[in-house]
């Protein structure tokens, strides 16, 4: 080998540059398509950082939104619970105020009395509504006692009064009629008393204003066989009348026990007889028992406030 010739290098020779066809550009290793974001290339490091920041921003936005929704929900629930607690507290306070003993108002006292009187016709025993003996004043204002002969069965109002009276009682809603028959101390006079029951005192007042003004009509007599009253019928009635008390109209009709009719008695004798005053006294005392004002408690729980 001559000194002018260069010594050949050991190892792999340099690769020869590939020849390209005319008009085409050579491709270099690590081609530019990857740098330009071509298919199959890797993104820039800056792109990955921006994507991570956007994802973090989205997550932070969702978290903040969730926190706002949760705070709003908790606020609503707090308001609802506060309102419920207030209602419960007010209810408890109202219940305590209502149940604690306190003085009755005037309206409550009136209502108590009206309710007590209105239920007496069935709350009291028959013997209390129609006492066995009723005191009345006889001749010379002497104290005498009328005796109860019997108590009739409870009956509908229109069925035990005369037709003109029945029409009025039916129109005003008369509930029922209670009747009993008495004789005076000498057993000469017979008196039938009838208690008409109405829903309330106002109804009774309206009914009384529509009753016919006629002493020949009213409650029908009740006679009891095998007693001194057995001859007392409609023809034996001398006079009839009524008195109002609370929700009750107490009718009365009187006659003679010997069977004398109205037509057979002279008017002068009827006017001067003790018959009608006795009948009025008996009816009045029964009405007083039914409408007597009750003992009203001072407080809602008795007499201790």
């Amino acid at each position: 080998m001559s000194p002018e010739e260069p010594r050949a290098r050991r190892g792999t020779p340099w690769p020869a540059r590939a020849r390209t066809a005319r008009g085409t550009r050579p491709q270099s290793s690590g081609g530019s398509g990857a740098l330009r974001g071509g298919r199959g290339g890797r993104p820039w490091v800056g792109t990955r950082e921006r994507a991570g920041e956007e994802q973090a921003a989205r997550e932070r936005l969702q978290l903040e939104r969730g926190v706002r929704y949760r705070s709003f929900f908790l606020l609503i629930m707090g308001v609802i619970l506060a309102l419920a607690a207030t209602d419960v507290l007010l209810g408890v306070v109202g219940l305590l105020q209502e149940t604690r003993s306190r003085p009755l108002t005037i309206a409550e006292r009136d209502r108590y009395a009206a309710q007590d009187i209105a239920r007496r016709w069935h709350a009291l025993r028959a013997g209390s509504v129609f006492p066995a003996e009723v005191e009345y004043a006889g001749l010379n204002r002497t104290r005498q006692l009328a005796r109860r002969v019997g108590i009739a069965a409870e009956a509908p109002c229109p069925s035990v009064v005369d037709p003109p009276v029945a029409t009025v009682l039916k129109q005003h809603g008369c509930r029922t009629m209670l009747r009993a028959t008495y004789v005076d101390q000498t057993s000469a006079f017979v008196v039938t008393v009838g208690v008409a029951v109405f829903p309330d005192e106002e109804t009774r007042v309206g009914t009384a204003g529509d009753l016919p003004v006629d002493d020949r009509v009213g409650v029908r007599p009740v006679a009891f066989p095998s007693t001194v009253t057995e001859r007392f019928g409609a023809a034996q009635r001398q006079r009839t009348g009524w008195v109002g008390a609370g929700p009750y109209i107490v009718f009365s009709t009187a006659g003679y026990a010997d069977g004398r009719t109205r037509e057979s008695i002279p008017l002068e004798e009827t006017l001067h007889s003790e018959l009608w005053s006795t009948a009025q006294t008996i009816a009045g005392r029964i009405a007083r028992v039914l409408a007597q004002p009750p003992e009203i408690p001072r407080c809602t729980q008795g007499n201790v406030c």
Side-chain angles (χ1 to χ4, degrees):
M1 178 178 298
S2 61
E4 291 82 4
E5 293 179 357
R7 185 175 296 181
R9 297 182 181 179
R10 294 182 181 181
T12 306
W14 292 98
R17 181 175 296 182
R19 295 181 178 178
T20 58
R22 183 176 297 176
T24 61
R25 300 179 60 182
Q27 297 183 356
S28 59
S29 60
S32 61
L35 296 178
R36 298 172 182 170
R39 184 178 300 178
R42 293 179 298 172
W44 291 98
V45 176
T47 303
R48 290 198 300 268
E49 292 178 353
R50 286 196 299 272
E53 292 176 357
E54 292 176 356
Q55 179 65 23
R58 285 195 295 270
E59 292 177 355
R60 186 166 54 253
L61 181 61
Q62 292 178 356
L63 179 60
E64 293 175 354
R65 186 178 302 168
V67 170
R68 288 198 300 270
Y69 287 162
R70 183 173 180 272
S71 300
F72 184 67
F73 175 76
L74 292 177
L75 177 62
I76 293 177
M77 292 302 298
V79 172
I80 293 174
L81 291 176
L83 292 176
T86 303
D87 288 343
V88 172
L89 180 61
L90 292 176
V92 171
V93 172
L95 180 63
L96 292 176
Q97 291 179 347
E98 185 66 24
T99 56
R100 70 179 177 87
S101 184
R102 58 173 177 78
L104 291 174
T105 64
I106 296 178
E108 288 173 335
R109 293 173 63 86
D110 293 342
R111 184 165 58 249
Y112 179 93
Q115 291 175 349
D116 183 87
I117 293 173
R119 61 172 173 261
R120 286 181 183 172
W121 70 274
H122 63 82
L124 297 177
R125 301 183 62 178
S128 297
V129 176
F130 299 113
E133 292 182 339
V134 178
E135 182 178 341
Y136 70 96
L139 290 174
N140 300 321
R141 309 297 298 175
T142 58
R143 176 180 177 272
Q144 296 188 3
L145 295 175
R147 177 175 54 88
R148 187 189 69 212
V149 178
I151 299 176
E154 180 181 343
C157 298
S159 65
V160 293
V161 295
D162 296 303
V165 179
T167 301
V168 176
L169 298 186
K170 186 176 181 179
Q171 288 176 347
H172 289 272
C174 181
R175 290 181 171 178
T176 190
M177 180 78 76
L178 313 176
R179 293 179 300 164
T181 297
Y182 289 82
V183 294
D184 72 326
Q185 188 163 310
T186 64
S187 295
F189 307 144
V190 183
V191 179
T192 291
V193 179
V195 177
V197 181
F198 293 89
D200 49 54
E201 185 172 359
E202 183 179 359
T203 304
R204 187 270 301 171
V205 172
T207 305
D210 292 339
L211 288 174
V213 183
D214 188 348
D215 66 356
R216 295 170 299 176
V217 297
V219 66
R220 293 173 183 169
V222 179
F224 293 89
S226 303
T227 68
V228 70
T229 67
E230 62 182 353
R231 299 177 65 183
F232 183 46
Q236 284 70 40
R237 290 186 297 181
Q238 300 298 317
R239 293 186 66 177
T240 62
W242 59 267
V243 59
Y248 310 104
I249 292 181
V250 181
F251 292 91
S252 59
T253 185
Y256 293 97
D258 59 8
R260 284 181 289 175
T261 63
R262 180 184 175 103
E263 288 75 13
S264 64
I265 304 297
L267 180 61
E268 294 77 9
E269 181 178 343
T270 302
L271 294 176
H272 294 88
S273 172
E274 296 177 71
L275 171 66
W276 188 235
S277 62
T278 300
Q280 286 179 311
T281 302
I282 294 173
R285 292 194 179 277
I286 291 174
R288 191 174 300 115
V289 169
L290 288 171
Q292 183 178 5
E295 182 178 351
I296 303 175
R298 293 177 49 251
C299 310
T300 55
Q301 297 182 5
N303 291 320
V304 179
C305 298

